Structure formats: C-alpha cells, structure tokens
C-alpha cells in the first residue's frame, strides 16, 4: 500500500514505518529553525485586525494568506472552546494564496510539531498553520500534517474543486446520530430545518489513509454541504471560515436536540414539523445572504472577544 507524501522534499512512502521515520527525521531537522521562529515571533507585536477587516478579502496574496490563517486559527480555538473536537485528531482547512508562490495552498494546523507531539487546539496560532501543496507536501510552516487530515481534505477537493473551506469533526451528538441504524436528521426543530435537503450520508466507512478515500467522500457529498460520515463524524464545506464554523455548531445543536428528545420519550414520540413549516424555516435561515450574515455575527463576536483579550491566536 502506498501512502501520500506529507513531508517536504521526500517521495512517496511504501510503508507506515517509513512514513513515521520520515516524520521523526523532519521534526529533528527543523527543530532549531522552528524554535528560532518562535523567538522572533514573540518579540514582534502584531496589530490585530477588526472584525470587519478580518472578514474582508484582500487583493494582495500575502495579506489574504494571513487573513485566512487568522480566521482558521480562531476557528480551531472556538471548536475547542465548545468541545466540538475529539482530541487534536480532527481537521479544519481553507484554501489560500501561497505566501511565496503563485498557486494556492491548503492551510491546516500541524498534526506533529518539530519539538514532538501535536498542537493543542487551545494554542493554535495563525503563524503555526501549515500550507500544503496538492500532493500533501509542506510548502509553508514547520511540522507535518496528520495523514488522515491531508488525505480527507485534499481528496475531497479533488472531487469538489470549489470547496473553499472544509471542516471535519467528531462532534458528540452528530457522530452518535451517524452510528444509528437510521441516522436521518429529523425536522423537529428550527435548527434542524436549516439543514433540510442539504445533507448526504456515507455508510461506507474506511480508514482515511489514502487521498482516494477523500475523493470518494467528496463524490458521496455531491452537491450537498454536509456529510454524515457514519461511524466516524461529519464533514462540512462552505465558502468562508465563519460560515463553516457556524454550520458545525448548529448541526451539532440540531443533532443534540434530536437525540435528547429520542432519549426522553423514544423515537416514536418524535413530532416532526409540517413540511410547509420546514421549508419556510429553512428559507428564513439560509435564503440570500441570511446564513452568511448571521454566521458572521456569531463568529466575529468571538473574534471581538479574543481581540479584546489580545490573544496570541492571531500571531
């Protein structure tokens, strides 16, 4: 079995052992450079953008790369704040202009850092995020990505090239719903109706150790925005970081309401909303720029909080 290359300047791996040895070698080699970069960064004061500035795309590639890094880094922190991640083994990514190249890179938090171990999501910083090329090669940053993160996110984008932001999480209630014989999201609450007709389900679980698995997941997702990866977790695609975060949050709330209601009185006692009401509620939630407007309100309220605290997440 052949694994993709997720390290700079190396070829494909023939075994898992080769992959792990290369991760170790690269970590040791880059440790000194990484420490020096941290020292330099700690002595540099960064002006934290306002929420409006953070939401506004930049024409300069380097500035846009930084803007997206800051947005993505904050989303890692917020997912952790709400306990919507499972350890540090989930992944959030966004496509961005390269800092020093003409093409795009996929931004993702490192799975392994040069000093050993990974990055706790409560400590993710914009400067520490990696930029990956289309084959998983590290083009920006120090460290290496988690194999499944590279495989899922790069593969999904091969099937769905327009997927700007992809968030894969193992949120408790959505994951639990995906483990049921019937994992349907029932239209019993206004949060549920937001996702009416926007979800797909995958029942073909396989370990994500090859990009081909990510491609398969992207094909199953099709033209939907949400994928229940049954027996695994969920995957959300969106055009912006703030919208993707908002989708992850409210999808989990919808699944929580359903499972709590089922636990209280049984599935047969669930009362679904009339179809006309379901459709009207969805329209009110997602029509036009409504979803984006309220997602931005949610996400950038958190931005304002972290900015007021002079958080290092933006560094």
């Amino acid at each position: 079995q052949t694994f993709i290359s997720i390290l700079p300047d190396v070829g494909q791996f023939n075994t898992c052992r080769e992959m792990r040895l290369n991760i170790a070698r690269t970590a040791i080699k880059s440790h000194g450079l990484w420490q020096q970069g941290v020292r330099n960064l700690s002595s540099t004061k960064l002006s934290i953008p306002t929420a409006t500035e953070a939401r506004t795309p930049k024409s300069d590639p380097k500035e846009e790369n930084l803007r997206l890094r800051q947005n993505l880094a904050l989303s890692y922190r917020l997912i952790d704040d709400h306990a919507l991640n499972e350890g540090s083994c989930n992944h959030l990514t966004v496509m961005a202009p390269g800092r020093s190249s003409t093409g795009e890179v996929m931004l993702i938090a490192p799975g392994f850092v040069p000093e050993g171990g990974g990055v706790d999501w409560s400590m993710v910083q914009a400067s520490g995020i990696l930029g990956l090329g289309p084959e998983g090669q590290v083009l920006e940053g120090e460290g290496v990505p988690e194999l499944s993160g590279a495989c899922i996110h790069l593969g999904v984008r091969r099937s769905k090239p327009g997927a700007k932001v992809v968030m894969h999480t193992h949120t408790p209630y959505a994951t639990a719903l995906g483990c049921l014989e019937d994992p349907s999201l029932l239209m019993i609450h206004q949060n549920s109706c937001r996702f009416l007709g926007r979800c797909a389900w995958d029942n073909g679980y396989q370990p994500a150790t090859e990009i081909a698995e990510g491609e398969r997941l992207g094909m199953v997702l099709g033209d939907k925005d949400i994928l229940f990866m049954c027996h695994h977790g969920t995957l959300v695609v969106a055009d912006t970081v703030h919208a993707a975060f908002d989708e992850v949050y409210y999808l989990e709330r919808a699944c929580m309401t359903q499972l709590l209601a089922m636990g209280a009185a049984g599935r047969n006692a669930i009362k679904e909303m009339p179809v006309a009401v379901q459709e009207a509620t969805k329209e009110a939630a997602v029509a036009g720029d409504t979803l984006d407007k309220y997602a931005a309100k949610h996400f950038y309220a958190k931005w304002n909080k972290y900015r007021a605290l002079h958080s290092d997440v933006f560094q």
Side-chain angles (χ1 to χ4, degrees):
Q1 187 175 17
T2 299
F3 295 88
I4 63 163
S5 168
I6 59 171
L7 300 175
D9 303 321
V10 297
Q12 291 188 325
F13 305 127
N14 293 317
T15 66
C16 285
R17 184 173 181 275
E18 287 183 21
M19 181 185 70
R20 295 190 186 103
L21 288 172
N22 273 279
I23 287 174
R25 292 190 190 106
T26 300
I28 293 168
K29 181 180 179 181
S30 60
H31 180 52
L33 293 173
W34 185 83
Q35 283 191 311
Q36 185 60 47
V38 170
R39 293 192 198 99
N40 293 341
L41 181 62
S42 63
S43 63
T44 303
K45 289 189 175 181
L46 182 71
S47 175
I48 302 174
T50 65
T52 298
E53 292 169 338
R55 187 181 176 186
T56 305
K58 305 295 187 286
S59 57
D60 180 85
K62 290 184 180 179
E63 292 181 3
E64 179 65 357
N65 181 289
L66 175 59
R67 183 187 76 86
L68 291 170
R69 283 173 172 273
Q70 291 174 328
N71 276 260
L72 187 65
L74 181 60
S75 71
Y76 274 95
R77 298 268 186 123
L78 298 183
I79 293 287
D80 184 72
D81 286 347
H82 291 289
L84 298 177
N85 54 323
E86 187 172 48
S88 58
C89 293
N90 300 167
H91 349 94
L92 319 176
T93 63
V94 60
M95 297 302 297
R99 287 190 300 201
S100 58
S101 62
T102 56
E104 282 191 313
V105 294
M106 185 179 80
L107 300 180
I108 184 172
F112 303 90
V113 295
E115 61 189 22
V119 177
D120 189 277
W121 283 24
S122 67
M123 300 178 69
V124 172
Q125 293 178 286
S127 59
I129 288 176
L130 304 178
L132 305 187
E135 300 300 324
Q137 67 273 35
V138 177
L139 301 178
E140 297 176 4
E142 298 292 338
V144 294
E146 187 182 51
L147 180 62
S148 62
C151 289
I152 291 173
H153 292 248
L154 290 170
V156 165
R157 288 185 169 95
R158 288 187 181 183
S159 298
K160 291 178 67 68
K164 177 77 172 179
V165 183
V166 177
M167 293 191 176
H168 167 57
T169 56
H170 303 167
T171 60
Y173 288 96
T175 300
L177 182 60
C179 294
L180 298 180
E181 185 68 31
D182 180 359
S184 302
L185 181 63
L186 303 177
M187 299 297 112
I188 62 172
H189 185 269
Q190 63 178 9
N191 288 343
S192 315
C193 296
R194 164 181 176 152
F195 300 103
L196 179 65
R198 300 178 56 217
C199 300
W201 282 262
D202 174 47
N203 288 298
Y205 170 79
Q206 299 177 48
T209 57
E210 298 183 43
I211 287 184
E213 174 61 6
E215 292 184 59
R216 186 189 70 80
L217 292 169
M219 289 187 284
V220 175
L221 178 63
D223 62 354
K224 307 300 183 185
D225 304 310
I226 312 293
L227 179 64
F228 280 87
M229 300 163 63
C230 296
H231 312 289
H232 187 167
T234 60
L235 187 141
V236 169
V237 298
D239 293 332
T240 63
V241 171
H242 62 261
F245 165 74
D246 197 61
E247 298 271 59
V248 170
Y249 177 89
Y250 279 104
L251 178 65
E252 178 67 358
R253 299 291 292 190
C255 294
M256 180 180 73
T257 298
Q258 179 174 326
L259 291 180
L260 289 176
M262 290 168 59
R267 188 184 182 92
N268 292 336
I270 291 288
K271 182 181 179 180
E272 292 197 72
M273 300 161 72
V275 173
V277 176
Q278 295 177 25
E279 293 173 348
T281 304
K282 175 190 176 182
E283 182 74 7
V286 305
D289 67 349
T290 303
L291 191 152
D292 186 74
K293 176 182 177 181
Y294 281 91
K297 173 179 176 288
H298 184 192
F299 182 82
Y300 290 109
K302 302 294 187 182
W303 180 286
N304 291 336
K305 172 186 173 181
Y306 272 78
R307 185 172 185 265
L309 295 172
H310 303 285
S311 173
D312 62 357
V313 66
F314 306 109
Q315 292 183 350

